[in-house]
Amino acid sequence: MTRRQRVLIVDDDLTIRRWICAVLKPLDIDTITAASGEEALAAVVDAGETGFDLALLDVFMPGMSGYDLAQAFRKNADAPIASTPLIFLTAADDTHAKLTAFSHGAIDYIIKPFEPQELTARVKSALRTQALVEQLEIQANTDRLTGLLNRHALTTILQKRLDRLKSEPPNEIERRAGFCIFFIDLDRFKVINDSLGHEVGDHLLIAVADRMSRFNPVEGAAPNTPRPEVLVTRLGGDEFVLFIDRLVDPQQALAAASRLANTLDQPVQIQNQTLGAAASIGVRIADSAHHSVAELLRDADTAMYEAKAAGKGRAVLFDHSMHKRAVTRLTLEQDLTHAIANGNLLLHYQPIVSLRTNKIIRFEALVRWQDPKRGLVAPDSFIPLAEDTGLIRPLSNEVLRLACDQLKHWYSTFGSDHTPPVNINISPRQLFGPEMVEKIQRQLTDTQVQPQHLGIELTESSITHDFDAASKTLGQLHDLGIHLSLDDFGTGYSSMTTLRNFPFNTIKIDRSFVSAMIDDRACAAIIAATTTLAFNLGMNVVAEGLESIDELQQLQALDCDAAQGYLISPPLDAVAATRLYQERGDQFFPPHLNTDTTSDAWIRDAG
């Protein structure tokens, strides 16, 4: 329901006030009158945030003049009256009087005595303009999808509150000016949006907005605890911010945010779909040290990412160590970007040895980062970052280039018929990226590397997001003659489906089974069953993470095809890998391996 417009009429003459009210009655507006500047200021206080849409001010009044009143209105820039349009009423008809009125913020100037039609027309025009201004302001501050306040409105609100926070005495901050914000990001929104469509995604955002709007941050508190002011805003996408007034106790704020996370995680029905809206929430208590809204939001956003890293669907309270970690992460991201562009990545190669022929049958290429400041950086330190930031695509392209360049070099060293194939790892983003197959074809053509010398390893989780797209891409790669390996087998949710629907050449059994098989008969049985299954499907089996001679002998007893791990060799740089293949490629294990007499020497040689 639209609010009726309100007009404040200030004149020391009772007759004129009544006459103006009578003239304006047909406009269907609310008129509030005051006989002096002091009464007008009191009426402004009574109006509160509702304010007025227009004020008619008599210029010459006893005590406070209309000009003085206009200045008083503008004194507090945050008050609604500060932006209220003003029309001055006066008998003075000279140029100086008109200029003075406009210099005090007037939008119009009416000479007494005035005709009813003139007064009505000018007031009507002013109210129409003000209504349009308000409508535009509402549109500028409202998110169209959810009807919540938007980023622009939030920034304005937070800046005013930060200014107030800095101006309050320390002992008054908690009581009058303190507040906190919750930075909220939905954990699975992109998956829902991509799989079920934008219409479902929009309905989910609307449902989430409704739940947030009804959230009570002090639910369950002591009786008579006043509910603090809560403003819900949508920043964009699936990001929301809650402003909560006077909630400044860290533990209470964190408890409230945790309850909100639980509330959002409750299932919601949308178009016959039962969906969850689990969210990660970052909590930040505002303090006078914040210099800007950007800093406040940055801190809350940082805490939200900590919540995601901790397992999603939870709330985390900001502390300053988080910011330091975020700065470190940003620096790492920037340095990794330069490393990819400047050729500071290199590959180490870990041999895969046949347990049937005793030969090195291929190498797995593992990326390393040679950083001038950090030295040789292991992949665990930067691959997750690359996945999160999208750098995984240019990084994977560089790995492909380096692997093909090494294969080309080995062609000249060993000849193409005796060059060991090289496997590279492909991430989900790379697998479903545009023109991936064409990119691989182009790289093979540029380096004149034969497709059968390039292998690609993928985890089950990387192909379950989109079976149809994965099936198409892997089919094209298989048709090229590229060797496909299913990595970390046994740790996913759809292993049998994966084997049935995709053209893999090799199954790589996850190291967790290999390391446990000596003491756990179930793990040994799983490896035996996998080996039999692979044989029946025409696939090979590679056991990952081989670290002891006992494990080696057990794998041989289980009829496993091949293995890789630190017992055989750690990942080696290109020079060491080349030497290893030259010296031991055709006869890797010692003849008639005897653990009592030869194992120590063999392990030293393998290392």
Side-chain angles (χ1 to χ4, degrees):
M1 181 172 162
T2 305
R3 178 180 68 83
R4 282 163 60 95
Q5 291 183 293
R6 293 159 51 86
V7 176
L8 176 63
I9 302 166
V10 186
D11 198 298
D12 60 320
D13 190 318
L14 176 61
T15 302
I16 292 178
R17 294 199 303 273
R18 289 177 174 173
W19 184 80
I20 292 175
C21 288
V23 169
L24 299 181
K25 188 174 182 179
L27 296 184
D28 193 29
I29 60 176
D30 292 332
T31 53
I32 294 86
T33 63
S36 65
E38 290 76 13
E39 283 189 22
L41 292 176
V44 167
V45 173
D46 291 340
E49 292 297 317
T50 304
F52 295 96
D53 299 284
L54 179 65
L56 306 180
L57 308 182
D58 183 19
V59 172
F60 300 111
M61 296 183 291
M64 184 180 290
S65 71
Y67 298 147
D68 295 335
L69 182 58
Q71 287 183 319
F73 284 169
R74 304 300 191 236
K75 202 168 187 179
N76 182 2
D78 292 339
I81 195 65
S83 58
T84 300
L86 308 176
I87 295 179
F88 283 110
L89 311 174
T90 181
D93 192 18
D94 58 277
T95 301
H96 175 73
K98 293 177 181 179
L99 291 175
T100 303
F102 288 120
S103 69
H104 282 79
I107 64 165
D108 206 348
Y109 185 95
I110 304 178
I111 306 298
K112 293 180 180 180
F114 32 74
E115 294 293 327
Q117 295 87 347
E118 179 187 12
L119 177 64
T120 301
R122 295 199 179 191
V123 169
K124 189 174 182 179
S125 176
L127 290 175
R128 187 184 302 116
T129 301
Q130 179 65 4
L132 180 59
V133 169
E134 290 180 0
Q135 182 180 359
L136 293 174
E137 185 176 353
I138 290 172
Q139 291 177 353
N141 289 285
T142 303
D143 175 61
R144 291 186 178 181
L145 176 65
T146 62
L148 300 176
L149 296 175
N150 61 14
R151 179 186 290 270
H152 177 266
L154 176 67
T155 301
T156 302
I157 292 167
L158 292 182
Q159 190 59 62
K160 289 179 180 179
R161 292 306 299 265
L162 285 178
D163 292 342
R164 179 181 170 188
L165 197 63
K166 294 173 184 177
S167 65
E168 290 285 352
N171 60 335
E172 292 293 317
I173 286 179
E174 181 173 334
R175 187 172 70 85
R176 300 201 309 182
F179 66 94
C180 75
I181 61 172
F182 295 172
F183 198 113
I184 303 156
D185 183 90
L186 303 186
D187 292 328
R188 299 181 59 254
F189 180 73
K190 187 178 187 305
V191 174
I192 293 172
N193 214 35
D194 291 347
S195 58
L196 300 180
H198 292 284
E199 184 178 357
V200 172
D202 286 349
H203 282 294
L204 179 61
L205 292 174
I206 293 170
V208 167
D210 180 63
R211 287 185 178 182
M212 290 183 187
S213 299
R214 292 185 282 112
F215 175 68
N216 181 2
V218 294
E219 183 178 324
N224 302 321
T225 300
R227 177 173 177 169
E229 178 187 9
V230 178
L231 297 177
V232 187
T233 61
R234 180 184 176 215
L235 295 190
D238 61 335
E239 291 184 336
F240 299 81
V241 170
L242 258 66
F243 165 93
I244 306 178
D245 191 29
R246 301 187 187 182
L247 183 59
V248 295
D249 179 81
Q251 296 309 313
Q252 290 179 356
L254 184 58
S258 297
R259 283 195 295 102
L260 177 59
N262 291 334
T263 298
L264 295 178
D265 197 27
Q266 299 304 309
V268 57
Q269 281 291 128
I270 297 176
Q271 295 185 358
N272 298 321
Q273 299 276 353
T274 301
L275 303 176
S280 297
I281 303 177
V283 181
R284 183 58 165 119
I285 310 293
D287 59 52
S288 56
H290 283 113
H291 298 293
S292 67
V293 172
E295 285 186 6
L296 180 63
L297 291 175
R298 176 204 67 196
D299 290 351
D301 187 38
T302 298
M304 182 274 292
Y305 274 104
E306 291 280 338
K308 281 191 179 294
K312 303 182 179 180
R314 62 185 67 194
V316 169
L317 182 70
F318 175 84
D319 66 63
H320 289 284
S321 64
M322 294 178 186
H323 177 57
K324 293 178 182 178
R325 288 197 295 271
V327 171
T328 300
R329 177 185 171 89
L330 178 60
T331 303
L332 188 69
E333 179 185 346
Q334 293 170 337
D335 291 348
L336 180 58
T337 302
H338 291 305
I340 295 171
N342 298 330
N344 296 129
L345 298 182
L346 53 88
L347 297 182
H348 281 192
Y349 301 86
Q350 187 171 39
I352 300 173
V353 174
S354 170
L355 302 184
R356 303 184 188 281
T357 65
N358 202 14
K359 295 179 180 181
I360 295 176
I361 55 175
R362 62 182 53 243
F363 285 91
E364 179 181 355
L366 301 165
V367 66
R368 301 290 187 266
W369 172 13
Q370 187 64 54
D371 182 66
K373 297 175 292 185
R374 301 177 181 87
L376 193 64
V377 184
D380 289 349
S381 300
F382 63 89
I383 292 296
L385 173 68
E387 290 277 7
D388 290 344
T389 60
L391 287 173
I392 194 66
R393 285 183 177 173
L395 187 151
S396 296
N397 291 339
E398 180 67 0
V399 168
L400 172 64
R401 185 189 69 79
L402 291 170
C404 288
D405 285 347
Q406 185 61 47
L407 284 167
K408 182 179 180 181
H409 176 73
W410 279 343
Y411 280 2
S412 63
T413 303
F414 304 121
S416 60
D417 291 340
H418 300 286
T419 289
V422 172
N423 289 358
I424 61 173
N425 292 278
I426 293 293
S427 74
R429 290 197 182 194
Q430 187 74 358
L431 178 64
F432 300 119
E435 304 177 348
M436 194 204 79
V437 176
E438 291 83 354
K439 197 173 295 180
I440 291 175
Q441 284 181 302
R442 187 163 54 250
Q443 189 65 53
L444 292 173
T445 300
D446 291 345
T447 54
Q448 296 184 323
V449 167
Q450 299 170 20
Q452 64 267 26
H453 283 126
L454 181 67
I456 289 178
E457 297 192 7
L458 304 107
T459 61
E460 287 183 79
S461 60
S462 69
I463 59 179
T464 53
H465 296 300
D466 190 335
F467 267 73
D468 291 338
S471 179
K472 178 181 178 181
T473 300
L474 296 183
Q476 292 174 328
L477 293 174
H478 182 267
D479 291 343
L480 282 177
I482 292 174
H483 189 96
L484 300 176
S485 296
L486 179 61
D487 200 9
D488 299 336
F489 183 79
T491 60
Y493 296 101
S494 54
S495 301
M496 298 304 109
T497 302
T498 302
L499 295 180
R500 187 178 73 249
N501 290 285
F502 297 100
F504 286 105
N505 305 100
T506 296
I507 298 171
K508 300 189 76 175
I509 299 175
D510 186 69
R511 67 183 64 195
S512 61
F513 295 99
V514 176
S515 63
M517 68 180 175
I518 301 298
D519 300 319
D520 189 339
R521 295 180 61 183
C523 287
I526 290 172
I527 293 175
T530 302
T531 301
T532 302
L533 176 65
F535 176 80
N536 290 330
L537 293 174
M539 300 178 184
N540 299 313
V541 172
V542 174
E544 297 183 286
L546 176 62
E547 295 186 354
S548 74
I549 294 175
D550 287 343
E551 291 171 358
L552 170 64
Q553 293 173 333
Q554 178 80 328
L555 290 173
Q556 290 172 326
L558 293 173
D559 207 24
C560 187
D561 293 306
Q564 73 179 100
Y566 272 70
L567 180 69
I568 295 172
S569 172
L572 304 169
D573 63 33
V575 173
T578 301
R579 184 171 62 249
L580 180 68
Y581 188 70
Q582 286 174 322
E583 297 174 356
R584 301 172 59 180
D586 289 336
Q587 187 70 29
F588 190 85
F589 296 119
H592 311 295
L593 179 64
N594 184 311
T595 59
D596 294 332
T597 60
T598 62
S599 61
D600 290 344
W602 170 55
I603 292 171
R604 286 198 301 273
D605 292 343

